[in-house]
Amino acid sequence: MNAKGRGVTIANVTRAPRTLCFDIGGTGIKGLVADVKGKPLSERVRIETPHPAIPKSLLRVLGEIHAQQPAFDRVSAGFPGVVREGVVYSAPNLDPSWVGVNLAGELTRICGKPARVANDAGVQGMGVIAGKGTEIVLTLGTGMGFALFRDGRYVPNIELGHHPIRGKKVYEDLVCDRERKKHLKRWNRRVQFVLSVLEPCFNYDHLYIGGGNAERLSFKLPGNVTVVSNDAGMLGGVRLWDQ
Ligand code: BGC
């Protein structure tokens, strides 16, 4: 291979795709650039979610975060609702006007690079799972996110948070951030209850708990349940490109 050829090889290594990873939440919107292994290449930027969380305002925030980032090659986003082929189908903790928005298309327009979008709990999970057996991810934040993985493959858009668990109450009614703020001890008991329902139902090998409120759990977790860092979850955006 000539010197020019070697030059191309080196350039390819150093240009390994860098991903601008966004985590869109009901309370905050975060973004950072990570390398292909998920190593952060920039400081995480966080901006409060605007209210009302309509597409126009939220897309403006994504643009602000983008403007503060170093160079990148592609974009990923975790979105708090059902997303199919980059298009939003639901956004219960944001605003109904999100339904039908092609968020992947909007991100490409704002950032000038190809973009992929998936449910936030799914993206979080991609950053933390081991890739073996049945793995579940619960996110405890504004709402309750849920993601199921089988041998590393994501089964998208299971909205367990909106499934009834006690009378007419759905999972999210019991363990959302509003309830945590009202009564932390009761909220802890409820998360424990949710785990006791999920365990014999899914018979998972491992369950991961993420989201901003995961650090507020105060009871002893079973051996096959771990709390994961929110940042690790953001880096699932890199793996979204491998799914
Ligand atoms: C949404 C889920 C989302 C979760 C956490 C729920 O209200 O329906 O799609 O993953 O909140 O953001």
Side-chain angles (χ1 to χ4, degrees), residues 23-26 78-83 90-94 118-122 138-147 154 157-162 172 176:
D23 180 23
I24 302 170
F79 182 86
V82 173
V83 181
S90 70
N93 293 314
L94 295 177
N119 175 262
D120 54 356
L138 279 191
T139 62
L140 302 173
T142 310
M144 186 194 100
F146 176 89
Y154 173 47
N157 294 324
I158 301 178
E159 288 282 275
L160 195 76
H162 300 285
E172 187 163 282
C176 62

Side-chain angles (χ1 to χ4, degrees), residues 31-183:
L32 57 71
V33 173
D35 74 5
V36 79
K37 295 213 164 120
K39 188 175 134 228
L41 298 173
S42 65
E43 286 288 315
R44 186 184 85 141
V45 174
R46 181 184 186 280
I47 297 182
E48 294 283 305
T49 305
H51 289 290
I54 53 172
K56 193 172 157 209
S57 319
L58 214 137
L59 292 172
R60 194 178 310 124
V61 169
L62 292 171
E64 278 171 36
I65 296 177
H66 157 245
Q68 296 178 45
Q69 298 300 316
F72 57 89
D73 306 288
R74 57 193 192 182
V75 184
S76 292
F79 182 86
V82 173
V83 181
R84 290 198 194 110
E85 308 287 332
V87 177
V88 172
Y89 277 72
S90 70
N93 293 314
L94 295 177
D95 192 85
S97 58
W98 272 99
V99 176
V101 172
N102 182 343
L103 180 54
E106 290 295 332
L107 283 170
T108 298
R109 181 181 60 75
I110 294 168
C111 305
K113 300 285 179 191
R116 288 191 181 179
V117 184
N119 175 262
D120 54 356
V123 174
Q124 168 105 24
M126 289 169 207
V128 299
I129 55 158
K132 271 196 182 160
T134 299
E135 295 177 275
I136 286 195
V137 179
L138 279 191
T139 62
L140 302 173
T142 310
M144 186 194 100
F146 176 89
L148 171 66
F149 293 84
R150 180 67 203 167
D151 290 333
R153 275 193 79 85
Y154 173 47
V155 183
N157 294 324
I158 301 178
E159 288 282 275
L160 195 76
H162 300 285
H163 189 273
I165 181 171
R166 193 181 268 167
K168 285 192 178 155
K169 297 242 185 234
V170 299
Y171 284 73
E172 187 163 282
D173 292 332
L174 299 191
V175 298
C176 62
D177 192 45
R178 215 178 40 246
E179 290 301 310
R180 190 272 306 168
K181 281 184 184 141
K182 275 193 217 156
H183 200 308

